[in-house]
Amino acid sequence: QSVLTQPPSVSAAPGQRVTISCSGSSSNIGNKYVSWYQQVPGTAPKLLIYDNNKRPSGIPDRFSGSKSGTSATLDITGLQTGDEADYYCGAWDDSLSAGVFGGGTKLTVL
Amino acid sequence: EVQLVESGGGLVQPGGSLRLSCAASGFTFSRFWMTWVRQAPGRGLEWVANIKQDGSEKYYVDSVRGRFTISRDNAKNSLYLQMNSLGAEDTAVYYCVRDWGSSDTYWGQGTLVTVSS
């Protein structure tokens, strides 16, 4: 059972938009920055979003992040087949004094 | 070019010990927090431990506290994870991560630890 809650899977057609949610609490998302990671199976995760809504250089603006209260959201627009991957949210948890991840969401581009 | 190269993984018997290493290059290692993250086969990511730039602060996930020890040698640009009393639940790919959660986040390719008799 992960501290942060994500839907196990989402799917959409190429060109469409998908939203992945990440729900936490006041000890993590509510008062800390959220980051998002993309992981293609068999490879290391890659940073997509940091500080809730900032993109590292090289990440297309099709990927965007937002946060409201104790929840965060990753939006992906203009879906491409290459976006098929697992997506994870992460944050620091003050109560645990440790980092925490969501359980991951598998994105299928139909 | 930033590189994080993990090593030290392998097969170990239950109750045994293993020491993972992460060799850093291409950046000033001593400037960054460093983190270990693991991923059990077919499972999600699990944050394991992190260490401050000078080693003065260390944090652990509850499931490894008291069994694992994170350390670093800034002179050797290296991060370590000493793992004792290993159990099957510790079987995973272990990733070395620079400055987890920030714009400077960078992941190594991981090293596989298998705990089995």
Side-chain angles (χ1 to χ4, degrees):
Chain A
Q1 192 80 348
S2 301
V3 174
L4 305 181
T5 301
Q6 298 180 234
S9 64
V10 295
S11 62
Q16 296 299 304
R17 172 195 178 195
V18 71
T19 296
I20 299 174
S21 61
C22 175
S23 178
S25 68
S26 58
S27 65
N28 43 66
I29 293 178
N31 286 289
K32 297 295 180 183
Y33 286 122
V34 177
S35 51
W36 288 91
Y37 305 88
Q38 178 193 61
Q39 186 181 34
V40 174
T43 70
K46 179 175 77 171
L47 177 69
L48 282 181
I49 298 289
Y50 68 98
D51 290 0
N52 303 331
N53 56 16
K54 298 181 174 64
R55 282 186 309 275
S57 60
I59 300 300
D61 59 7
R62 299 188 299 106
F63 295 90
S64 64
S66 62
K67 189 181 92 168
S68 178
T70 58
S71 293
T73 300
L74 175 69
D75 276 304
I76 311 173
T77 60
L79 276 173
Q80 302 174 1
T81 56
D83 295 333
E84 283 204 338
D86 296 317
Y87 292 82
Y88 296 89
C89 58
W92 185 257
D93 190 297
D94 277 337
S95 294
L96 299 174
S97 292
V100 291
F101 284 103
T105 299
K106 181 177 180 59
L107 169 63
T108 301
V109 181
L110 302 168
Chain B
E1 178 194 5
V2 173
Q3 283 199 324
L4 294 171
V5 180
E6 301 93 337
S7 61
L11 177 64
V12 60
Q13 292 190 337
S17 298
L18 213 55
R19 188 196 196 205
L20 304 184
S21 299
C22 171
S25 61
F27 65 99
T28 306
F29 180 72
S30 60
R31 288 184 54 220
F32 295 94
W33 281 80
M34 296 297 296
T35 299
W36 287 100
V37 173
R38 68 183 178 182
Q39 185 170 36
R43 304 295 296 274
L45 301 174
E46 181 180 32
W47 187 98
V48 175
N50 71 350
I51 184 169
K52 194 176 179 179
Q53 290 91 331
D54 62 358
S56 61
E57 293 183 37
K58 306 175 185 181
Y59 299 94
Y60 299 90
V61 68
D62 282 348
S63 59
V64 309
R65 190 174 291 115
R67 300 188 299 122
F68 290 11
T69 301
I70 188 171
S71 62
R72 65 193 295 163
D73 186 334
N74 288 340
K76 295 183 177 180
N77 293 330
S78 293
L79 176 72
Y80 306 101
L81 187 67
Q82 177 66 43
M83 304 186 296
N84 300 329
S85 303
L86 285 162
E89 68 277 11
D90 298 314
T91 293
V93 174
Y94 285 74
Y95 294 101
C96 167
V97 186
R98 182 187 76 175
D99 216 18
W100 178 74
S102 82
S103 61
D104 291 315
T105 296
Y106 191 88
W107 296 67
Q109 290 306 303
T111 185
L112 176 63
V113 172
T114 302
V115 183
S116 175
S117 55

Short mmCIF file of all heavy atoms in Angstrom, two decimals, chain B residues 84-109:
data_model
loop_
_atom_site.label_atom_id
_atom_site.label_comp_id
_atom_site.label_asym_id
_atom_site.label_seq_id
_atom_site.Cartn_x
_atom_site.Cartn_y
_atom_site.Cartn_z
N ASN B 84 22.28 -5.26 5.51
CA ASN B 84 22.44 -6.43 6.38
C ASN B 84 21.09 -7.10 6.63
O ASN B 84 20.04 -6.50 6.36
CB ASN B 84 23.04 -6.01 7.72
CG ASN B 84 24.42 -5.38 7.58
OD1 ASN B 84 25.18 -5.71 6.66
ND2 ASN B 84 24.74 -4.46 8.47
N SER B 85 21.14 -8.31 7.13
CA SER B 85 19.91 -9.07 7.46
C SER B 85 18.93 -9.05 6.30
O SER B 85 17.73 -8.77 6.47
CB SER B 85 19.25 -8.50 8.72
OG SER B 85 20.14 -8.51 9.80
N LEU B 86 19.43 -9.36 5.14
CA LEU B 86 18.60 -9.28 3.93
C LEU B 86 17.53 -10.37 3.92
O LEU B 86 17.77 -11.51 4.34
CB LEU B 86 19.47 -9.37 2.69
CG LEU B 86 20.27 -8.10 2.39
CD1 LEU B 86 21.41 -8.39 1.43
CD2 LEU B 86 19.35 -7.03 1.82
N GLY B 87 16.37 -10.00 3.41
CA GLY B 87 15.27 -10.93 3.25
C GLY B 87 14.75 -10.90 1.82
O GLY B 87 15.14 -10.02 1.03
N ALA B 88 13.87 -11.83 1.50
CA ALA B 88 13.34 -11.90 0.14
C ALA B 88 12.68 -10.60 -0.28
O ALA B 88 12.70 -10.23 -1.47
CB ALA B 88 12.33 -13.05 0.04
N GLU B 89 12.14 -9.88 0.68
CA GLU B 89 11.46 -8.62 0.38
C GLU B 89 12.43 -7.52 -0.06
O GLU B 89 11.99 -6.46 -0.53
CB GLU B 89 10.66 -8.14 1.60
CG GLU B 89 11.49 -7.70 2.78
CD GLU B 89 11.95 -8.83 3.67
OE1 GLU B 89 11.81 -10.02 3.28
OE2 GLU B 89 12.47 -8.54 4.78
N ASP B 90 13.70 -7.76 0.08
CA ASP B 90 14.71 -6.79 -0.35
C ASP B 90 15.17 -7.03 -1.79
O ASP B 90 15.97 -6.25 -2.33
CB ASP B 90 15.92 -6.83 0.58
CG ASP B 90 15.58 -6.45 2.01
OD1 ASP B 90 14.87 -5.44 2.19
OD2 ASP B 90 15.99 -7.19 2.93
N THR B 91 14.68 -8.08 -2.40
CA THR B 91 15.00 -8.35 -3.81
C THR B 91 14.45 -7.23 -4.68
O THR B 91 13.25 -6.95 -4.66
CB THR B 91 14.41 -9.69 -4.26
OG1 THR B 91 15.05 -10.75 -3.55
CG2 THR B 91 14.57 -9.89 -5.75
N ALA B 92 15.34 -6.58 -5.42
CA ALA B 92 14.93 -5.41 -6.20
C ALA B 92 16.09 -4.91 -7.03
O ALA B 92 17.25 -5.28 -6.79
CB ALA B 92 14.44 -4.29 -5.28
N VAL B 93 15.77 -4.06 -7.98
CA VAL B 93 16.79 -3.23 -8.62
C VAL B 93 16.97 -1.99 -7.76
O VAL B 93 15.98 -1.35 -7.39
CB VAL B 93 16.37 -2.83 -10.05
CG1 VAL B 93 17.37 -1.84 -10.64
CG2 VAL B 93 16.24 -4.07 -10.93
N TYR B 94 18.21 -1.69 -7.42
CA TYR B 94 18.52 -0.54 -6.58
C TYR B 94 19.11 0.56 -7.45
O TYR B 94 20.11 0.35 -8.14
CB TYR B 94 19.49 -0.93 -5.47
CG TYR B 94 18.81 -1.71 -4.38
CD1 TYR B 94 18.44 -3.05 -4.59
CD2 TYR B 94 18.51 -1.14 -3.14
CE1 TYR B 94 17.79 -3.77 -3.60
CE2 TYR B 94 17.87 -1.86 -2.14
CZ TYR B 94 17.51 -3.18 -2.38
OH TYR B 94 16.87 -3.88 -1.39
N TYR B 95 18.48 1.73 -7.41
CA TYR B 95 18.92 2.88 -8.20
C TYR B 95 19.58 3.92 -7.30
O TYR B 95 19.08 4.22 -6.20
CB TYR B 95 17.73 3.56 -8.88
CG TYR B 95 17.04 2.74 -9.94
CD1 TYR B 95 15.85 2.08 -9.69
CD2 TYR B 95 17.58 2.64 -11.23
CE1 TYR B 95 15.19 1.36 -10.67
CE2 TYR B 95 16.93 1.91 -12.22
CZ TYR B 95 15.75 1.27 -11.93
OH TYR B 95 15.10 0.55 -12.91
N CYS B 96 20.64 4.47 -7.78
CA CYS B 96 21.31 5.61 -7.16
C CYS B 96 20.75 6.87 -7.84
O CYS B 96 20.67 6.93 -9.07
CB CYS B 96 22.81 5.46 -7.41
SG CYS B 96 23.85 6.88 -7.07
N VAL B 97 20.33 7.85 -7.05
CA VAL B 97 19.67 9.03 -7.60
C VAL B 97 20.30 10.30 -7.04
O VAL B 97 20.43 10.44 -5.82
CB VAL B 97 18.17 9.03 -7.27
CG1 VAL B 97 17.47 10.19 -7.98
CG2 VAL B 97 17.52 7.71 -7.65
N ARG B 98 20.66 11.19 -7.92
CA ARG B 98 21.16 12.49 -7.50
C ARG B 98 20.01 13.44 -7.26
O ARG B 98 19.10 13.56 -8.08
CB ARG B 98 22.09 13.07 -8.58
CG ARG B 98 22.71 14.41 -8.22
CD ARG B 98 23.48 14.99 -9.39
NE ARG B 98 22.59 15.55 -10.40
CZ ARG B 98 23.02 16.20 -11.48
NH1 ARG B 98 24.31 16.35 -11.69
NH2 ARG B 98 22.15 16.67 -12.36
N ASP B 99 20.01 14.11 -6.09
CA ASP B 99 19.11 15.21 -5.77
C ASP B 99 17.65 14.90 -6.13
O ASP B 99 17.00 15.66 -6.85
CB ASP B 99 19.57 16.49 -6.47
CG ASP B 99 19.33 17.71 -5.61
OD1 ASP B 99 19.14 17.56 -4.38
OD2 ASP B 99 19.34 18.83 -6.15
N TRP B 100 17.15 13.79 -5.59
CA TRP B 100 15.80 13.31 -5.89
C TRP B 100 14.76 14.40 -5.69
O TRP B 100 14.70 15.06 -4.65
CB TRP B 100 15.48 12.11 -5.01
CG TRP B 100 14.10 11.56 -5.19
CD1 TRP B 100 13.67 10.82 -6.26
CD2 TRP B 100 13.00 11.70 -4.31
NE1 TRP B 100 12.35 10.49 -6.06
CE2 TRP B 100 11.91 11.01 -4.89
CE3 TRP B 100 12.81 12.35 -3.08
CZ2 TRP B 100 10.66 10.94 -4.28
CZ3 TRP B 100 11.57 12.27 -2.47
CH2 TRP B 100 10.51 11.58 -3.08
N GLY B 101 13.91 14.59 -6.71
CA GLY B 101 12.81 15.53 -6.60
C GLY B 101 13.11 16.95 -7.04
O GLY B 101 12.22 17.80 -7.04
N SER B 102 14.35 17.21 -7.43
CA SER B 102 14.71 18.56 -7.84
C SER B 102 14.97 18.62 -9.34
O SER B 102 14.94 17.60 -10.03
CB SER B 102 15.96 19.02 -7.11
OG SER B 102 17.12 18.50 -7.76
N SER B 103 15.27 19.81 -9.82
CA SER B 103 15.60 19.96 -11.23
C SER B 103 16.89 19.23 -11.59
O SER B 103 17.14 18.97 -12.77
CB SER B 103 15.73 21.43 -11.59
OG SER B 103 16.77 22.01 -10.82
N ASP B 104 17.68 18.91 -10.60
CA ASP B 104 18.96 18.22 -10.85
C ASP B 104 18.86 16.70 -10.67
O ASP B 104 19.89 16.02 -10.64
CB ASP B 104 20.03 18.75 -9.90
CG ASP B 104 20.43 20.19 -10.23
OD1 ASP B 104 20.63 20.48 -11.43
OD2 ASP B 104 20.52 21.00 -9.29
N THR B 105 17.64 16.20 -10.57
CA THR B 105 17.46 14.75 -10.41
C THR B 105 18.09 14.00 -11.57
O THR B 105 17.89 14.34 -12.73
CB THR B 105 15.98 14.40 -10.33
OG1 THR B 105 15.41 14.99 -9.17
CG2 THR B 105 15.78 12.89 -10.27
N TYR B 106 18.85 12.97 -11.21
CA TYR B 106 19.45 12.11 -12.23
C TYR B 106 19.51 10.70 -11.66
O TYR B 106 19.93 10.51 -10.52
CB TYR B 106 20.84 12.60 -12.61
CG TYR B 106 21.39 11.90 -13.83
CD1 TYR B 106 21.13 12.40 -15.11
CD2 TYR B 106 22.16 10.74 -13.72
CE1 TYR B 106 21.63 11.75 -16.23
CE2 TYR B 106 22.65 10.10 -14.83
CZ TYR B 106 22.37 10.60 -16.09
OH TYR B 106 22.85 9.96 -17.19
N TRP B 107 19.11 9.72 -12.47
CA TRP B 107 19.05 8.32 -12.04
C TRP B 107 20.15 7.50 -12.68
O TRP B 107 20.44 7.66 -13.87
CB TRP B 107 17.72 7.70 -12.43
CG TRP B 107 16.51 8.29 -11.79
CD1 TRP B 107 16.00 9.54 -11.99
CD2 TRP B 107 15.64 7.66 -10.86
NE1 TRP B 107 14.88 9.72 -11.24
CE2 TRP B 107 14.62 8.57 -10.54
CE3 TRP B 107 15.61 6.39 -10.26
CZ2 TRP B 107 13.59 8.27 -9.63
CZ3 TRP B 107 14.59 6.08 -9.38
CH2 TRP B 107 13.60 7.03 -9.07
N GLY B 108 20.75 6.62 -11.90
CA GLY B 108 21.63 5.62 -12.47
C GLY B 108 20.81 4.53 -13.14
O GLY B 108 19.58 4.59 -13.15
N GLN B 109 21.50 3.53 -13.69
CA GLN B 109 20.81 2.46 -14.41
C GLN B 109 20.39 1.32 -13.50
O GLN B 109 19.62 0.45 -13.91
CB GLN B 109 21.69 1.95 -15.55
CG GLN B 109 21.83 2.96 -16.68
CD GLN B 109 20.47 3.41 -17.18
OE1 GLN B 109 19.63 2.62 -17.61
NE2 GLN B 109 20.22 4.72 -17.13
#
